[in-house]
Amino acid sequence: MGSGICGEYYQDCFIIKLNVPFDFSNIGKSDDAVHLGTFFHEYFHFLQNMCTTFGNFSMAVFYAKVRNILYKLANSNEIEIPRNIKINPEIDDWVNRQDIAVGDMDSWTYEPYNFMNITDIWLVKDEILEELGYGDCTLPQIDLFLTQNRKQIHKTLNFGAMSIMESMADMLERKLYGRSRAEEYVQYHICEKLWNYVVKKDVPSDMIFRCCEYALMDYNPGQLYFAALRIFAGQDVITENTIDDFFTNWIQPNYKKRYKDMFSEMMDQFGELVPNGNSYTKSLSKYVTEFCTKFYELRESKPLLFTMLYKSEPDAIKFVLAHFMHIAMPLIIDCKNETYVSDDLQSDGIGMEEYAAFYALYRMADGRGTNKCELFNICNANDSQSTSDICLKEPLLSGKQERLCALGQLLYMWKVKVERLT
């Protein structure tokens, strides 16, 4: 999800980009710690994205932004539309809340360090946003002492959802292979280091993992995780029941309702963006709706789905992840830009173009325009022409309509004049 050291998950887009060689023909059998371990790490980010409260919140923000942009593009009388289109105030509220909760995404947080230690931590409140009614706008800030190539560095990290998601994925990778990254990376170890700094009690790693999973079932995971640690610091004995009681009965008694409400909001936003009733985007809508619903039902029956997985033996974890991959598989792109979509998805009519649509929409929402989509060079439509030729040059010509990829179909459906974007 972040650094691109070995791999990256494009949040909300269902795409995994690997920077290591990957044997697609051997995806279920290879057991290489670098290659398959990296894939499992990024696949876990995909699971966090689409079946936690914060992950659904992130997806809802993404869909809402794109809907707003497409609406303005489709209904504007201007000859040229600027790529950086200002979103409306309601969506702006969501974006501001998400920006606070996600925490630090600066590149330095993914640089390797030879040594890392926490020297202080405090809560920072965005008073302006809180006055505007955005809810709890506090986020822990961590003062870090770091050593890099014998050089001492002090950094401040905004501890939020990104740190929690990276820590969980790294803990899972280490559980599977005994190691992950060769050196210290701040995001990958910060939850354990923060526990040790605040709580000062040794516990099995699955207890920390359990706290992380509960925290992601909230809109502001970093603030909640830190609040839990401060309470646990005053406890003589910390058990699973202690953790469960804190999260389910004290701080967030309605966390299950929050998850249900945000899942419904996310699915409503997606349904407005990619309606199932539209024949052009039906396969994309059907697939995403089905796998999101399936994992929602899994978590409803097993609220600590990830923790149960983490506590299993490594071989059992790999087996379950392989099973999950049959339910929901992102598009995988390796270091040679070779792509993989499972046979199951291809038989259901879901191919690379559907995922490329998400990524191109992500670029559009980020203000970079669809012609900046990095997948266009490797994403082919149903003939020899590239997606960029069809989507960007002739998307609305009736003779081309049946050959449009999912992005082109979305733009056609929204009546967007795509030449404005180029």
Side-chain angles (χ1 to χ4, degrees), residues 52 70 80 116 130 157 160 201 229 232 274 307 319 364:
T52 67
L70 290 177
E80 293 185 6
M116 177 179 71
E130 196 161 82
L157 170 72
K201 295 179 180 68
L229 299 196
F232 298 155
V274 189
T307 301
F319 177 83
M364 186 190 301

Side-chain angles (χ1 to χ4, degrees), residues 99-161:
D99 287 345
I100 292 168
V102 77
D104 223 320
M105 295 182 66
D106 293 340
S107 61
W108 72 263
T109 58
Y110 291 99
E111 293 177 5
Y113 296 94
N114 307 110
F115 175 79
M116 177 179 71
N117 200 21
I118 297 174
T119 58
D120 197 7
I121 182 168
W122 60 95
L123 279 173
V124 174
K125 178 185 295 186
D126 192 316
E127 295 180 355
I128 296 177
L129 292 176
E130 196 161 82
E131 287 178 3
L132 293 174
Y134 291 151
D136 190 347
C137 296
T138 58
L139 201 66
Q141 284 196 351
I142 303 175
D143 187 65
L144 294 167
F145 173 79
L146 306 158
T147 303
Q148 187 179 56
N149 299 324
R150 299 184 179 182
K151 180 182 179 181
Q152 295 182 356
I153 305 170
H154 280 90
K155 294 284 186 180
T156 302
L157 170 72
N158 290 321
F159 176 82

Side-chain angles (χ1 to χ4, degrees), residues 8 10-11 13 15 62 65-66 69 83-85 355-376 407 421:
E8 192 168 0
Y10 293 123
Q11 192 168 343
C13 299
I15 296 172
F62 169 63
K65 284 197 297 184
V66 174
I69 289 171
R83 287 181 185 158
N84 292 302
I85 301 172
Y355 293 99
F358 275 108
Y359 186 72
L361 290 172
Y362 171 80
R363 290 299 192 186
M364 186 190 301
D366 200 33
R368 302 176 190 180
T370 55
N371 59 332
K372 295 296 183 181
C373 176
E374 296 173 2
L375 296 183
F376 280 159
L407 170 64
L421 299 174

Side-chain angles (χ1 to χ4, degrees), residues 110-382:
Y110 291 99
E111 293 177 5
Y113 296 94
N114 307 110
F115 175 79
M116 177 179 71
N117 200 21
I118 297 174
T119 58
D120 197 7
I121 182 168
W122 60 95
L123 279 173
V124 174
K125 178 185 295 186
D126 192 316
E127 295 180 355
I128 296 177
L129 292 176
E130 196 161 82
E131 287 178 3
L132 293 174
Y134 291 151
D136 190 347
C137 296
T138 58
L139 201 66
Q141 284 196 351
I142 303 175
D143 187 65
L144 294 167
F145 173 79
L146 306 158
T147 303
Q148 187 179 56
N149 299 324
R150 299 184 179 182
K151 180 182 179 181
Q152 295 182 356
I153 305 170
H154 280 90
K155 294 284 186 180
T156 302
L157 170 72
N158 290 321
F159 176 82
M162 183 64 67
S163 296
I164 292 174
M165 289 186 284
E166 289 289 17
S167 288
M168 289 179 72
D170 187 73
M171 291 171 72
L172 183 69
E173 192 176 347
R174 278 183 275 148
K175 177 69 178 285
L176 292 174
Y177 296 102
R179 64 181 180 84
S180 57
R181 307 301 188 262
E183 300 177 88
E184 292 277 9
Y185 290 84
V186 174
Q187 302 281 33
Y188 299 141
H189 301 278
I190 195 65
C191 284
E192 293 159 291
K193 288 186 176 293
L194 185 57
W195 176 286
N196 294 333
Y197 180 80
V198 177
V199 182
K200 296 182 173 63
K201 295 179 180 68
D202 292 332
V203 295
S205 60
D206 63 88
M207 303 274 275
I208 299 175
F209 197 92
R210 193 183 199 91
C211 287
C212 290
E213 180 168 15
Y214 270 128
L216 285 182
M217 300 306 287
D218 188 68
Y219 303 133
N220 193 349
Q223 189 275 342
L224 182 57
Y225 182 82
F226 181 54
L229 299 196
R230 290 191 296 178
I231 295 298
F232 298 155
Q235 304 270 342
D236 293 330
V237 179
I238 302 169
T239 65
E240 291 183 356
N241 289 336
T242 305
I243 296 171
D244 293 348
D245 181 67
F246 175 84
F247 284 102
T248 61
N249 298 317
W250 186 2
I251 293 296
Q252 298 294 350
N254 296 317
Y255 83 100
K256 290 183 179 180
K257 184 179 184 301
R258 284 193 172 199
Y259 177 48
K260 180 179 180 180
D261 290 346
M262 186 46 65
F263 174 78
S264 297
E265 179 65 47
M266 181 270 292
M267 294 304 295
D268 288 345
Q269 291 290 338
F270 175 74
E272 292 292 327
L273 177 65
V274 189
N276 186 53
N278 186 283
S279 60
Y280 304 135
T281 57
K282 188 173 184 178
S283 62
L284 175 64
S285 177
K286 179 176 181 290
Y287 181 60
V288 173
T289 300
E290 285 184 354
F291 75 62
C292 285
T293 302
K294 179 65 174 179
F295 276 95
Y296 172 79
E297 292 170 351
L298 276 174
R299 187 174 282 282
E300 280 283 272
S301 61
K302 301 176 181 178
L304 290 172
L305 178 66
F306 296 156
T307 301
M308 292 175 62
L309 181 69
Y310 181 79
K311 292 178 69 174
S312 303
E313 292 299 317
D315 286 344
I317 295 175
K318 295 172 189 175
F319 177 83
V320 173
L321 288 174
H323 172 68
F324 284 172
M325 286 158 55
H326 284 287
I327 301 173
M329 170 64 87
L331 172 71
I332 308 169
I333 309 169
D334 74 357
C335 60
K336 297 179 182 178
N337 275 344
E338 294 179 350
T339 59
Y340 174 85
V341 177
S342 73
D343 293 338
D344 291 341
L345 302 191
Q346 289 178 342
S347 65
D348 289 337
I350 304 294
M352 186 165 55
E353 292 86 355
E354 275 73 9
Y355 293 99
F358 275 108
Y359 186 72
L361 290 172
Y362 171 80
R363 290 299 192 186
M364 186 190 301
D366 200 33
R368 302 176 190 180
T370 55
N371 59 332
K372 295 296 183 181
C373 176
E374 296 173 2
L375 296 183
F376 280 159
N377 292 332
I378 60 172
C379 178
N380 294 323
N382 297 330

